[in-house]
Amino acid sequence: MSNSKNSFLPRKLHNELERLSELYAVIVVTGPRQSGKTTLCKNQFSNYHYINLENISIREQIVTAPKAFLEQYQQGLIIDEAQYAPELFSYIQVIVDENEDARFILTGSSNFSLMEGITQSLAGRAAILTLLPLSLQELGELIHQNDTNALLFKGGYPAVWAKDIPAQDVSRNYYNTYIERDVRQLLNIKDILRFQTFIKLCAGRIATEFNASALSNEVGVSVPTIQEWLSVLEASYILFRLPPFFRNIGKRLVKAAKLYFYDTSLLCFLLGIENEQQLTTHPLRGAIFENIVVLEFYKNRYNQGKSTNLYFYRDKSQKEVDLIEEKGAKLYAYEIKSAKSFTRGFVSSLDYLRKVIGEDIVSTQVIYDGENDIYSPNNGVVNFRNIKFND
């Protein structure tokens, strides 16, 4: 289906953004570039004045008299890419402390530099939200008008769905403009070829445990460099790590996590997949499918203003369950399969997990690409378009 150009797709984060704007003088909306932060904020707070600090001339004008400018628009101001002028945060702090009716919306795509400024100047005064690319829920009927390969290939960037820009064009420009420019500047990378090799090797390792030593050998840089590059890609919302599940929280911090990307279209681009048809026989199709499902759970949590409560399970006998959701003492386990037909073997790992962990497992589900949904707490089966979240 083709959307009208520049159409706005409603976002689930709207509700939490509305609620928190009544409680906090400052709202921070962070997330990947091009995920729709500006569109959402301008649409929801249409009466607020808007500035974009990525524009150097505007930035220079404001920082010459920051207090006077901020006071002029203190009743409602959206500051886009706020990390470019962190010196404004201390002025905002003074204003919101003096005027309880002051309202500021800050957006930024670099979590590291933005949050560093927020924690220093606006701690306790700002509510922080994360907007990821469009979820399957947000796509609505579009998910039923596109087959699975199309959904994997197109990913979730609004420009693909709301403006009909081909996914490969969006991903190519995203990579060339933001990753190679912004990330390289943050890391001060001199050998771009090695960094390009690194990010493509990461793409080839999705849904597997991250091994810094192996990547260090392949890329030809030190393990600390690999760790630094990965941390910046995480802070820039390119990829994320899913930690392993342990009852002992300390072990979660030291064991290897699994690697996923925040958008499957960018992932396909990095893997050299040029069209939907190539996905059909691609050896990593199952891993890309797993990526989009895990990502849906992350999006659901962030859209409610919550931090993640998600893990994977693997023990010494190499028994693995793809996803575990922890809600207090209750655990919800999911096995993710890209197949269209269900087989009994899909639930073997879930049955094993029930024996190991016991009654704390309150639900086990297989998420797959088949048509038949069977809702059951004990080994239910659901199409990935119809995931029922435990909110």
Side-chain angles (χ1 to χ4, degrees):
M1 174 181 172
S2 177
N3 279 330
S4 60
K5 191 175 181 182
N6 297 320
S7 62
F8 174 69
L9 293 169
R11 306 304 300 268
K12 296 287 185 181
L13 192 64
H14 163 89
N15 294 332
E16 193 65 9
L17 190 56
E18 187 71 29
R19 184 182 75 84
L20 291 175
S21 66
E22 299 293 324
L23 304 174
Y24 287 86
V26 182
I27 304 289
V28 181
V29 182
T30 185
R33 284 183 177 270
Q34 306 298 314
S35 64
K37 300 184 298 294
T38 303
T39 304
L40 172 63
C41 292
K42 290 175 75 173
N43 186 277
Q44 191 152 339
F45 302 99
S46 56
N47 59 325
Y48 283 22
H49 185 71
Y50 170 82
I51 57 167
N52 187 341
L53 294 186
E54 198 166 26
N55 186 313
I56 296 174
S57 61
I58 290 176
R59 192 160 77 226
E60 289 178 346
Q61 290 174 36
I62 293 168
V63 296
T64 53
K67 192 169 187 292
F69 176 82
L70 293 171
E71 286 178 338
Q72 182 182 355
Y73 297 107
Q74 63 183 295
Q75 298 306 315
L77 177 63
I78 300 170
I79 305 177
D80 216 348
E81 300 298 349
Q83 73 270 8
Y84 283 108
E87 61 269 33
L88 294 181
F89 297 164
S90 58
Y91 291 102
I92 292 174
Q93 175 196 332
V94 172
I95 291 172
V96 300
D97 286 349
E98 294 175 349
N99 179 9
E100 63 180 17
D101 294 324
R103 288 294 183 269
F104 296 94
I105 308 290
L106 312 180
T107 81
S109 52
S110 176
N111 198 29
F112 177 77
S113 50
L114 179 67
M115 295 313 300
E116 188 177 35
I118 298 296
T119 52
Q120 287 178 0
S121 302
L122 294 171
R125 301 169 179 83
I128 300 165
L129 296 171
T130 302
L131 183 70
L132 296 181
L134 290 160
S135 68
L136 295 176
Q137 283 187 322
E138 288 169 327
L139 288 175
E141 283 303 308
L142 289 170
I143 65 169
H144 301 293
Q145 296 163 11
N146 287 265
D147 67 18
T148 301
N149 285 344
L151 293 173
L152 297 177
F153 185 73
K154 291 180 179 180
Y157 280 104
V160 175
W161 296 99
K163 298 183 179 181
D164 287 333
I165 302 176
Q168 280 294 87
D169 291 337
V170 172
S171 294
R172 184 184 306 106
N173 291 330
Y174 190 96
Y175 180 79
N176 293 336
T177 304
Y178 301 127
I179 298 179
E180 290 211 344
R181 184 194 70 182
D182 292 0
V183 174
R184 281 180 68 193
Q185 287 177 354
L186 277 170
L187 291 169
N188 192 26
I189 295 172
K190 297 178 176 61
D191 190 341
I192 185 59
L193 289 177
R194 286 186 175 177
F195 181 73
Q196 288 173 337
T197 300
F198 165 72
I199 192 170
K200 289 178 180 178
L201 286 172
C202 285
R205 284 167 164 74
I206 52 155
T208 65
E209 292 182 35
F210 178 75
N211 186 325
S213 297
L215 276 169
S216 169
N217 292 332
E218 289 193 59
V219 179
V221 298
S222 68
V223 169
T225 296
I226 291 292
Q227 297 284 15
E228 182 189 14
W229 287 0
L230 186 74
S231 295
V232 170
L233 287 179
E234 286 181 301
S236 303
Y237 295 101
I238 306 301
L239 50 74
F240 62 94
R241 281 179 278 188
L242 178 69
F245 176 80
F246 286 98
R247 286 299 192 191
N248 182 336
I249 292 175
K251 288 186 177 180
R252 297 178 189 175
L253 302 178
V254 297
K255 297 290 184 178
K258 288 171 71 172
L259 208 59
Y260 297 93
F261 274 69
Y262 276 114
D263 186 72
T264 56
S265 174
L266 178 63
L267 176 57
C268 287
F269 170 77
L270 291 169
L271 291 171
I273 299 169
E274 297 181 341
N275 55 58
E276 299 161 20
Q277 291 71 34
Q278 290 178 5
L279 270 166
T280 304
T281 56
H282 197 279
L284 288 181
R285 185 185 184 277
I288 299 169
F289 182 85
E290 182 177 324
N291 196 134
I292 203 172
V293 172
V294 171
L295 193 52
E296 279 301 293
F297 281 83
Y298 270 74
K299 290 174 180 177
N300 181 62
R301 292 291 294 182
Y302 285 139
N303 285 339
Q304 298 177 74
K306 298 176 180 178
S307 56
T308 61
N309 59 346
L310 303 167
Y311 309 90
F312 75 96
Y313 177 88
R314 178 180 290 158
D315 61 20
K316 292 179 181 178
S317 63
Q318 298 303 304
K319 292 286 187 178
E320 181 175 336
V321 172
D322 294 322
L323 193 63
I324 292 180
E325 186 176 21
E326 185 178 44
K327 297 180 78 68
K330 296 180 179 179
L331 301 175
Y332 300 80
Y334 304 90
E335 191 68 8
I336 303 168
K337 300 293 183 181
S338 62
K340 289 185 176 294
S341 299
F342 175 81
T343 65
R344 177 63 197 166
F346 288 175
V347 301
S348 60
S349 294
L350 297 172
D351 290 340
Y352 173 84
L353 191 67
R354 279 187 181 275
K355 293 177 183 176
V356 172
I357 293 181
E359 61 185 19
D360 286 351
I361 301 280
V362 296
S363 173
T364 53
Q365 306 290 323
V366 173
I367 300 174
Y368 77 141
D369 196 19
E371 294 182 4
N372 296 319
D373 291 347
I374 304 171
Y375 294 105
S376 166
N378 192 1
N379 290 341
V381 183
V382 60
N383 181 278
F384 77 104
R385 294 169 174 83
N386 307 323
I387 298 170
K388 303 293 184 184
F389 296 105
N390 304 297
D391 298 332

